[in-house]
């Protein structure tokens, strides 16, 4: 079930979401905090953050992976996960809170699926390229490409100028 929390202010009630889907909620699972904001008692799945976290985890695993022969396969694996996730968010976009610094807003919906598909094509080519150039180490190359994907995702989801400048 997809729900958002609510902000209770005198005379009005506004929708509030933290860009996620509340899983496994019952009707009685909401709790009020000291500010009068209704928050779910269960965990929140934030799929838009996964577009940044998954490539960073893939980069860390690729940097620690011992084999130069199998390391390039991190590129298409992470690329496929990123494509699936970005198209999932394209067709079922999360609600972005107005004060959120990161969010899958309309700009990200327009650009990130194309960036993701382009990365996947380059990742598939990268496996072949690194197989031909097997005499060269590829630890930094693979990890750096995955970090670039994470930073592209963060940059396109940034809704704060300072965060955009850093990403």
């Amino acid at each position: 079930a997809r729900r958002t929390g609510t902000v209770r202010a005198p005379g009005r009630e506004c929708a509030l979401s933290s860009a996620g889907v509340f899983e496994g909620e019952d009707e009685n699972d909401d709790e009020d905090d000291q500010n009068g904001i209704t928050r779910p008692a269960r965990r929140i799945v934030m799929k838009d953050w996964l577009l940044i976290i998954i490539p960073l985890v893939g980069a860390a695993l690729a940097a620690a992976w011992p084999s130069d022969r199998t390391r390039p396969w991190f590129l298409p694996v992470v690329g496929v996960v990123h494509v699936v996730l970005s198209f999932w968010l394209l067709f079922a976009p999360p609600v972005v809170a107005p004060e959120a610094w990161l969010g899958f807003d309309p700009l990200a919906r327009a650009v990130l699926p194309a960036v993701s598909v382009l990365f996947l094509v380059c990742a598939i080519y990268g496996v072949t390229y690194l197989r031909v150039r097997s005499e060269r180490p590829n630890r930094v190359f693979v990890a750096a490409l995955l970090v670039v994907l994470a930073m592209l995702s963060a940059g396109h989801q940034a809704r704060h100028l300072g965060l955009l400048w850093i990403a």
Side-chain angles (χ1 to χ4, degrees):
R2 181 175 258 206
R3 291 183 36 190
T4 58
T6 56
V7 177
R8 294 187 190 134
R12 69 176 199 210
E13 188 167 309
C14 303
L16 176 70
S17 173
S18 36
V21 176
F22 305 115
E23 286 191 2
E25 282 190 316
D26 294 332
E27 293 177 8
N28 301 324
D29 280 350
D30 292 339
E31 299 172 355
D32 288 341
D33 66 2
Q34 66 271 10
N35 297 325
I37 298 174
T38 303
R39 299 187 189 278
R42 308 236 176 175
R43 73 183 180 125
I44 299 171
V45 178
M46 298 190 325
K47 294 181 292 260
D48 48 352
W49 280 77
L50 290 177
L51 287 172
I52 301 165
I53 294 169
I54 289 174
L56 288 177
V57 168
L61 289 173
W65 197 258
S67 172
D68 278 348
R69 188 177 57 82
T70 57
R71 186 178 301 116
W73 286 101
F74 276 97
L75 295 172
V77 168
V78 171
V80 165
V81 171
H82 200 271
V83 164
V84 168
L85 196 55
S86 65
F87 275 94
W88 184 11
L89 288 170
L90 174 68
F91 294 116
V95 177
V96 180
E99 70 278 353
W101 283 20
L102 280 171
F104 202 75
D105 58 3
L107 176 65
R109 273 185 85 190
V111 177
L112 267 177
V115 167
S116 189
V117 169
L118 181 61
F119 179 84
L120 180 60
V121 170
C122 293
I124 292 168
Y125 173 76
V127 171
T128 307
Y129 172 79
L130 292 171
R131 188 178 304 134
V132 170
R133 306 274 191 240
S134 60
E135 72 279 356
R136 297 181 183 179
N138 58 26
R139 182 181 310 270
V140 174
F141 182 79
V142 172
L145 273 179
L146 292 171
V147 168
V148 164
L149 178 61
M151 293 302 103
L152 283 170
S153 298
H156 284 100
Q157 291 186 75
R159 301 184 72 225
H160 187 277
L161 190 57
L163 185 61
L164 178 63
W165 185 77
I166 291 170

